[in-house]
Amino acid sequence: MALTVIGGSSFIGRYLIKALAGSYKEVRLGDMYPYRESVYRMQEELDTKITKHPLSYPTNLRLVIDGTENLVIVTHDYFKYAHSKNFYLTRAIQWAKEYGVKNITWVGPKELDHLVSSEIEESVKAEESARAAFPDLKILRTDLIFGQNCNSLLFQKTLEDLHARKRVITGNNGNTVFAPVHEDEVLAAFKALKAGEKVSLAGPEDLKWDEIVKVLANYVGTQNPSNAVPISMLTYFLAISEAFGDAFYPSHYQQLYRLVSKTIDISPTVRGTKKLSDFYAPGKFQGVQPLNWHRVILD
C-alpha cells in the first residue's frame, strides 16, 4: 500500500505525511522542491521510508502516482503563477484515473490560494475541471491553520517579527477577517471526508487581522506594534502591487502581504471549537525558529 502526497514539502503536506505514514508500507513525497531541510527533519522523525520525487518534469508526476493507493494533492506553496499551482491538481487527477487510483483528496488552505486577480478565475476553473474529471474527488478547504506541528506561514512570520521587535506584515488597516482553525481539527476533517464531499473548514471565531496580531503579541510578551508609518505603507503597496511586487519581494513574502490585504471567503461548512487565544496564551511562548524569507521556497 502506498501513500502519495503531492505538495508534500509544504507545512501542511508534512503534517499530513506524519499523521498518515504509519498506515502505509510506502510513502511518496512529490514536490517541485522536495529537498528541503524541513523534509529531512521529518524523515528523521519517522521510521517509515519516504521516497522523494522532484516534480520538475511531467514524467516524474506519473511515476509518483503509478501504483499508489491513496493520493493527496496539496495546493503548492510556490506562489508565482496560477498554472504552476493548478498543474498538479488537474494533471495528477488525469493520470490517477489512468492508473486506477480510487482515493483522491485535494487540500487547499486559503493562504496557498493564488491571489493575483487576473488569475483567480483560472484557479476556480481548475477546481471545476478536477471535480468533473473525478466526481469522487474529496476536497478540504481551510482557513489559516495554527498548532504545534502545522502552523500557517503568516503566523510564523508574524511571531518571528514580534519576537525580533520588527514591524509585522499588515494591510487593509488590519481589518481583513480570518477564522483560524487548529491542526487537530484539520486532521479530523481530512480523515472524515467522504467520496465526492467538499468541506470548507474554519475556526470558531471570525477575527480581524489586527485582533490576531494582538493575540500573538500577548503570547510573545511584547507590545502590539504600530504599522501606521510611511515606510510600512510603502512596503505594503509595493508588496501587493501586481505590476511591481515581483520585482521587490520573493513570492512568499509578497503572498502574505496580499493575503492580509483582501478577504478570501471560503464559506465554511464546518466550524472548529479550538480558539487561537487558547493555543497562543500568554506565558507559553518558547521561542520561534527563524525562516529564510528570501528563498523561493521556505523550510
Side-chain angles (χ1 to χ4, degrees), residues 229-247:
V229 293
I231 187 64
S232 293
M233 295 304 295
L234 178 60
T235 299
Y236 163 68
F237 284 117
L238 285 175
I240 67 170
S241 169
E242 296 183 8
F244 303 106
D246 286 341

Side-chain angles (χ1 to χ4, degrees):
M1 294 193 302
L3 166 70
T4 294
V5 181
I6 294 172
S9 296
S10 65
F11 68 96
I12 187 170
R14 299 193 306 271
Y15 175 61
L16 291 174
I17 288 175
K18 289 179 184 178
L20 303 174
S23 300
Y24 295 87
K25 293 182 179 179
E26 180 185 1
V27 178
R28 304 171 182 176
L29 188 160
D31 204 284
M32 276 288 290
Y33 302 91
Y35 301 107
R36 310 186 198 183
E37 181 182 347
S38 53
V39 175
Y40 287 113
R41 289 198 301 267
M42 176 184 67
Q43 288 180 283
E44 291 175 355
E45 295 176 24
L46 299 176
D47 293 331
T48 305
K49 182 179 179 181
I50 299 176
T51 305
K52 292 178 286 191
H53 296 255
L55 303 181
S56 303
Y57 302 97
T59 299
N60 291 359
L61 183 58
R62 281 184 174 272
L63 289 174
V64 77
I65 294 172
D66 187 10
T68 197
E69 178 190 35
N70 188 0
L71 174 62
V72 180
I73 306 164
V74 179
T75 300
H76 205 282
D77 61 353
Y78 181 57
F79 297 125
K80 284 289 185 182
Y81 302 109
H83 70 262
S84 69
K85 301 164 77 66
N86 298 332
F87 173 86
Y88 299 100
L89 178 63
T90 55
R91 287 297 177 88
I93 289 176
Q94 173 190 340
W95 290 331
K97 288 180 62 179
E98 288 185 21
Y99 295 127
V101 180
K102 304 297 183 184
N103 191 7
I104 308 177
T105 309
W106 172 49
V107 181
K110 71 186 308 182
E111 78 172 88
L112 301 183
D113 283 353
H114 197 75
L115 300 177
V116 176
S117 59
S118 60
E119 296 183 332
I120 289 177
E121 184 178 351
E122 181 180 337
S123 297
V124 173
K125 289 181 178 179
E127 178 181 338
E128 294 173 348
S129 174
R131 171 72 82 189
F134 193 83
D136 283 342
L137 176 67
K138 296 181 284 187
I139 298 176
L140 177 62
R141 300 279 284 118
T142 80
D143 212 298
L144 299 183
I145 304 171
F146 66 93
Q148 187 68 37
N149 303 294
C150 185
N151 209 23
S152 161
L153 293 176
L154 182 56
F155 290 154
Q156 290 188 57
K157 176 60 177 170
T158 304
L159 288 170
E160 182 180 331
D161 288 343
L162 288 168
H163 182 54
R165 302 301 193 268
K166 297 180 180 179
R167 300 192 184 279
V168 302
I169 288 176
T170 191
N172 192 26
N173 295 318
N175 290 320
T176 302
V177 175
F178 300 96
V181 60
H182 191 268
E183 60 183 26
D184 289 349
E185 293 169 329
V186 173
L187 183 58
F190 175 88
K191 291 182 175 180
L193 282 169
K194 297 179 177 61
E197 184 178 24
K198 177 177 180 178
V199 169
S200 296
L201 178 65
E205 301 175 293
D206 291 331
L207 301 171
K208 293 181 179 179
W209 176 239
D210 187 55
E211 295 174 315
I212 291 174
V213 172
K214 289 178 182 177
V215 169
L216 300 181
N218 289 334
Y219 168 69
V220 173
T222 186
Q223 292 184 339
N224 186 36
S226 170
N227 296 284
V229 293
I231 187 64
S232 293
M233 295 304 295
L234 178 60
T235 299
Y236 163 68
F237 284 117
L238 285 175
I240 67 170
S241 169
E242 296 183 8
F244 303 106
D246 286 341
F248 288 93
Y249 294 100
S251 55
H252 286 82
Y253 203 39
Q254 182 186 45
Q255 178 82 351
L256 298 185
Y257 268 105
R258 289 175 176 171
L259 185 65
V260 298
S261 71
K262 61 181 67 177
T263 298
I264 306 172
D265 181 17
I266 65 169
S267 300
T269 59
V270 177
R271 289 273 189 174
T273 61
K274 296 186 178 183
K275 295 182 179 180
L276 185 73
S277 57
D278 290 338
F279 180 80
Y280 288 121
K284 292 185 176 181
F285 183 65
Q286 297 180 346
V288 59
Q289 179 179 342
L291 297 177
N292 187 342
W293 293 91
H294 291 281
R295 292 183 60 179
V296 173
I297 296 295
L298 294 181
D299 284 325

